């Protein structure tokens, strides 16, 4: 340590140490951002679907005034397909889909297993909901939102324990609002403070939207999700908003893909503290509340990381400028060196040609 101080001088030594510490802090903050963002699997469907960045994931959150119905979602999907055809946008291969959609509503239902009765939070889902939301399966499997039969349910482990005293209940029959449904899977609830604050701290089941509408206490269809090709920035979001065909005050579209990128987080900083103000009467599902909370946590971390990396960057630039000013080699020397090397190359090439002709 004393040797380094004697070589570089006290001032240079302090700058080097503080620069190194600042760089280490930057790396730590960057790691925190990356690890935290990677846990948000609900926001990463586009990456799972196609890792080349050609698709984006979008979510539309609707107010009660939107009047959105399940059949309208099918019309929206058809409109998106037609728009893509008009714009000559094709799937990456013949087996791929251009448009993937899901939708959901939130409510409550009364469940009975014959032994116990509980009232739980319920999500009525349709389309490819579980592609967008890869909940961790403990037992069984997902049900298909497009199945003709709408009598399958997925429980979280807490609900399974409340009804049966065990999470291994796949194939068992429960009564949902008076009609029998078959348990197709049991999922592990996402844990953490954000999930608890976002409303994911209560027993929950997933049923078809049709079942929730018929047998539950439902609010309204408040979420539509889409995976779309995005040949240029903003294209997918633009055609999605157009296909919804709603007044601006009745919905909000979020581009999930890239929402945890540094660029997006820095842009969020200008609205920091104001994002909770909602004048459209929107009720976000728990996964969107968690995503927004994650953005609010990562935004100051991202800003701090940029500040910490700026300090060693400035030191490095200053060092390079100082080295350049004290250089012993000048532009003319570099130019003469390059010219000499080019001349040597031409001469060696000329000799090879002459040797080939001689042979």
């Amino acid at each position: 340590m004393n040797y380094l101080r004697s070589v570089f001088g006290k001032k240079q030594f302090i700058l080097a140490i503080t620069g190194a510490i600042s760089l280490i802090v930057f790396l730590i903050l960057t790691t925190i951002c990356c690890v935290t963002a990677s846990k948000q699997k609900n926001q990463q469907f586009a990456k799972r679907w196609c890792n080349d960045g050609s698709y984006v994931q979008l979510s539309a959150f609707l107010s009660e005034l939107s009047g959105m119905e399940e059949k309208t979602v099918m019309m929206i999907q058809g409109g998106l397909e037609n728009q893509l055809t008009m714009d000559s946008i094709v799937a990456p291969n013949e087996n791929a889909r251009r448009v993937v959609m899901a939708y959901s509503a939130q409510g409550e239902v009364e469940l009975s297993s014959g032994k116990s009765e509980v009232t739980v939070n319920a999500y009525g889902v349709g389309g490819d909901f579980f592609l967008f939301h890869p909940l961790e399966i403990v037992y069984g499997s997902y049900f298909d939102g497009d199945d003709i039969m709408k009598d399958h349910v997925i429980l979280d482990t807490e609900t399974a324990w409340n009804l049966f005293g065990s999470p291994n209940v796949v194939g068992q029959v429960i009564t949902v609002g008076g009609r029998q449904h078959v348990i197709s899977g049991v999922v592990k609830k996402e844990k953490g403070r954000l999930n608890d604050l976002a409303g994911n701290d209560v027993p929950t089941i997933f049923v078809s939207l049709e079942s929730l509408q018929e047998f539950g206490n439902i609010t309204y269809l408040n979420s539509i999700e889409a995976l779309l090709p995005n040949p240029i920035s903003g294209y997918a979001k633009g055609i999605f908003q157009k296909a919804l065909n709603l007044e601006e005050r009745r919905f909000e579209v979020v581009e999930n893909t890239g929402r945890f990128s540094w660029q997006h987080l820095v842009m969020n900083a200008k609205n920091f503290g104001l994002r909770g103000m909602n004048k459209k009467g929107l009720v976000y599902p728990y996964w969107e509340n968690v995503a927004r909370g994650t953005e609010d946590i990562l935004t100051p971390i991202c800003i701090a990381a940029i500040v910490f990396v700026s300090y060693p960057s400035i030191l490095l630039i200053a060092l390079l400028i100082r080295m350049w000013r004290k250089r012993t080699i000048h532009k003319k020397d570099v130019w003469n060196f390059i010219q000499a090397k080019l001349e040597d190359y031409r001469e060696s090439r000329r000799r090879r040609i002459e040797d080939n002709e001689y042979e």
Side-chain angles (χ1 to χ4, degrees), residues 60 89 93 116 153 167 192 194 295 315:
I89 296 175
N93 60 71
S116 303
V153 300
L194 278 182
E295 283 180 306
L315 291 181

Side-chain angles (χ1 to χ4, degrees), residues 104-277:
S104 61
Q106 186 175 355
E108 289 185 342
V109 294
E110 294 181 358
L111 306 180
S112 174
S113 64
K115 299 178 181 179
S116 303
E117 294 184 359
V118 293
T119 299
V120 299
N121 187 41
Y123 284 93
V125 304
D128 291 294
F129 180 84
F130 297 107
L131 288 180
F132 288 85
H133 303 276
L135 303 170
E136 183 180 343
I137 288 284
V138 180
Y139 295 101
S141 61
Y142 303 125
F143 62 78
D144 191 334
D146 294 326
D147 282 344
I148 296 176
M149 300 300 292
K150 304 294 184 180
D151 60 350
H152 286 78
V153 300
I154 289 178
L155 313 180
D156 66 11
T157 51
E158 184 178 354
T159 305
W161 276 104
N162 290 342
L163 289 172
F164 296 96
S166 169
N168 190 3
V169 294
V170 174
Q172 298 278 1
V173 175
I174 61 172
T175 300
V176 179
R179 178 175 292 184
Q180 290 187 334
H181 286 66
V182 179
I183 300 173
S184 65
V186 177
V187 297
K188 184 177 180 181
K189 187 185 294 292
E190 297 168 279
K191 298 291 186 179
R193 182 170 177 269
L194 278 182
N195 272 276
D196 293 344
L197 294 173
N200 195 30
D201 59 339
V202 295
T204 301
I205 72 166
F206 297 87
V207 299
S208 68
L209 180 61
E210 184 178 296
S211 286
L212 184 59
Q213 289 174 328
E214 186 172 357
F215 306 113
N217 174 20
I218 188 174
T219 52
Y220 50 92
L221 200 163
N222 67 335
S223 173
I224 301 175
E225 299 170 275
L227 181 79
L228 295 171
N230 193 45
I232 58 173
S233 178
Y235 170 82
K237 187 174 182 179
I239 66 170
F240 188 44
Q241 289 174 322
K242 181 180 178 181
L244 290 169
N245 194 28
L246 294 170
E247 295 180 25
E248 185 177 347
R249 63 189 177 91
R250 296 183 177 181
F251 75 104
E252 176 185 354
V253 172
V254 172
E255 188 169 315
N256 308 79
T257 303
R259 71 187 305 175
F260 301 123
S261 67
W262 282 41
Q263 180 182 359
H264 182 81
L265 292 173
V266 170
M267 294 298 294
N268 270 348
K270 65 180 181 181
N271 297 320
F272 194 77
L274 304 176
R275 283 159 39 83
M277 298 183 182

Side-chain angles (χ1 to χ4, degrees), residues 24-64:
I24 291 171
V25 173
F26 161 74
L27 294 174
I28 292 172
L29 295 177
T30 301
T31 301
I32 292 172
C33 286
C34 293
V35 171
T36 304
S38 68
K39 294 179 180 179
Q40 299 299 309
K41 293 183 172 57
N42 293 317
Q43 310 297 313
Q44 298 170 11
F45 181 35
K47 186 176 181 179
R48 295 193 301 271
W49 184 267
C50 188
N51 200 28
D52 63 3
S54 59
Y55 278 73
V56 296
Q57 177 185 347
L58 301 159
S59 297
F61 302 105
L62 314 172
S63 75
E64 190 172 4

